[in-house]
Amino acid sequence: MAEFTMELNDEQKEVRDWLHGFAADVIRPAAAEWDEREETPWPVIQEAAKLGIYSLDFYAQQFFDPSGLGIPMTMEELFWGDAGIALSIVGTGLAAVGVLANGTEEQIGTWVPQMYGDANDVKVAAFCSSEPDAGSDVAAMRTRAVYDEAKDEWVLNGTKTWATNGGIANVHVVVAVVDPELGSKGHASFIVPPDTPGLSQGQKFKKHGIRASHTAEVVLEDVRVPGHCLLGGKDKLDERLARARERAKSGGERVKNAAMATFEASRPAVGAMAVGTARAAYEEALEYARTRSQFGRPIIDNQGVAFQLADMRTQIDAARLLVWRASWMATTGKKFESAEGSMSKLYASETAKKVTAQAIQILGGNGFTREYPVERMHRDAAIYTIFEGTSEIQRLVIARTLAGMPIR
């Protein structure tokens, strides 16, 4: 087991500096334009692909970093550049992870490369789970998948919402209900190949922040996919459903806790995104406070401003510590005894909202304009307390864990 450390090794520092250079030289100069356009920044994604940043290989290398710090380090640097563009670059990873976690070797080899394309013809993928009436309450999911045994096809019907890259993706990964009586354990994931009839884009959301990331509804109307598009295969699904039915009869808390452990392990990555945005806003405010003069001296000489910056830096460092601890725990297999994954996501996301608001205050009227990036950063930061589980859900998970209560 790797020892927990806050010191990056030489290889990690090299990757961090490389990512920071890309964020500074490519992402940041494009951020305001694509935020205004509210469109997917294809040229930036293509540049990331040329450099090897937009690829499964790169993210796999970071994921398998034995220290656990590869992914949070990557997320922090990219989202330091710009949250909307960064989410466009990493969003495909949600679908790729869905296939890697549940698919067979053949499915992984077939579909994951199609999610990314190549540097000359980049593609994106979408992971479709949330629904209009099933966000935090995944057991309320209504999208159904029915098996047509005669044709060895699955028929999908329903509407997904808040899907990153939804409708524009080359490959969609769709979570659907196959056994309603089992609640969330009666779900399965399906690949919807390119140009499959019946899948269409619904409403594209005009968002408060992360505008460069495409978010839309995905409508499924009698979408037929071959049997081999069920991730993991039907035999594995049948075995899993049978086990779930048996566990449900004897009390299913063990199943619920195992599912919660999966969410706990993924939440620090979102926390790292929030840390990146918060750090970017803090640095903008610090530089402004050093160079902006009022009453004959830099405003950082005023205690009211200096104390705000001190608090901002302290909160950012504390958030990073929580994120890195949880990431290390997930990688080394240490059990989340106190919902440390949710703790990291909760604190980092709330810190991002607070720090970006303080940055606007320090910049004054300038911070309220689009001429300065902190306004955009503040809008972007709002998403961190919402997706991958709202702050209220994080507090619920933490509280119930501390109380020794089951998490539903």
Side-chain angles (χ1 to χ4, degrees), residues 94-108 111-112 115 127 173-176 185 187-191 228-237 240 243 262:
L94 296 172
V97 168
V99 176
L100 290 168
N102 301 298
T104 64
E105 290 187 8
E106 183 178 357
Q107 288 170 330
I108 293 170
W111 298 112
V112 172
M115 293 179 173
F127 183 73
V173 177
V174 177
V175 182
K185 302 310 297 180
H187 297 174
S189 297
F190 299 84
I191 291 286
H228 61 76
C229 286
L230 166 64
L231 289 180
K234 193 167 186 307
D235 289 344
K236 184 177 179 181
L237 173 66
R240 179 168 62 81
R243 290 196 302 269
T262 300

Side-chain angles (χ1 to χ4, degrees), residues 16-223:
R16 179 199 61 190
D17 293 345
W18 174 55
L19 291 168
H20 186 80
F22 177 79
D25 298 339
V26 181
I27 293 179
R28 282 209 165 178
E33 174 189 351
W34 292 99
D35 177 73
E36 291 285 347
R37 292 175 64 168
E38 299 190 51
E39 297 175 357
T40 301
W42 293 107
V44 182
I45 299 174
Q46 185 173 37
E47 187 64 24
K50 289 179 180 178
L51 295 174
I53 295 173
Y54 184 71
S55 71
L56 177 65
D57 288 345
F58 172 71
Y59 291 104
Q61 289 174 15
Q62 303 315 307
F63 181 81
F64 290 112
D65 181 337
S67 72
L69 303 185
I71 289 295
M73 178 187 67
T74 297
M75 295 302 174
E76 180 176 337
E77 293 304 328
L78 293 178
F79 281 74
W80 173 89
D82 176 70
I85 291 178
L87 192 56
S88 290
I89 293 172
V90 306
T92 291
L94 296 172
V97 168
V99 176
L100 290 168
N102 301 298
T104 64
E105 290 187 8
E106 183 178 357
Q107 288 170 330
I108 293 170
T110 299
W111 298 112
V112 172
Q114 295 187 47
M115 293 179 173
Y116 287 92
D118 57 47
N120 296 316
D121 185 23
V122 293
K123 305 291 185 183
V124 295
F127 183 73
C128 307
S129 179
S130 294
E131 297 184 2
D133 296 319
S136 299
D137 183 9
V138 294
M141 188 178 295
R142 295 181 179 178
T143 297
R144 293 294 303 275
V146 178
Y147 185 56
D148 183 344
E149 189 170 0
K151 296 184 178 180
D152 185 26
E153 292 179 337
W154 288 90
V155 185
L156 280 60
N157 281 282
T159 299
K160 295 295 182 179
T161 193
W162 309 121
T164 298
N165 298 329
I168 66 169
N170 193 48
V171 176
H172 291 76
V173 177
V174 177
V175 182
V177 179
V178 294
D179 188 334
E181 295 183 0
L182 292 176
S184 61
K185 302 310 297 180
H187 297 174
S189 297
F190 299 84
I191 291 286
V192 180
D195 303 318
T196 298
L199 183 147
S200 62
Q201 178 183 308
Q203 175 188 5
K204 177 186 175 182
F205 296 104
K206 297 182 72 66
K207 304 187 298 294
H208 175 67
I210 54 168
R211 294 178 178 177
S213 174
H214 175 97
T215 311
E217 291 181 331
V218 173
V219 180
L220 304 141
E221 297 179 308
D222 291 330
V223 173

Side-chain angles (χ1 to χ4, degrees), residues 338-356:
S338 303
E340 288 87 351
S342 287
M343 284 183 182
S344 70
K345 197 268 185 184
L346 170 65
Y347 190 81
S349 59
E350 293 291 345
T351 292
K353 283 186 69 174
K354 185 175 181 179
V355 166
T356 54

Side-chain angles (χ1 to χ4, degrees), residues 314-382:
T314 300
Q315 291 157 4
I316 291 167
D317 281 12
R320 185 184 296 108
L321 272 167
L322 286 170
V323 167
W324 283 23
R325 179 186 69 168
S327 300
W328 171 77
M329 290 176 69
T331 297
T332 57
K334 289 186 68 68
K335 188 177 180 181
F336 290 117
E337 298 285 356
S338 303
E340 288 87 351
S342 287
M343 284 183 182
S344 70
K345 197 268 185 184
L346 170 65
Y347 190 81
S349 59
E350 293 291 345
T351 292
K353 283 186 69 174
K354 185 175 181 179
V355 166
T356 54
Q358 288 176 304
I360 290 176
Q361 192 68 24
I362 290 171
L363 270 67
N366 286 329
F368 199 65
T369 71
R370 296 189 184 182
E371 297 301 313
Y372 289 78
V374 293
E375 175 272 340
R376 183 180 70 251
M377 294 169 184
H378 184 51
R379 287 189 285 105
D380 291 342

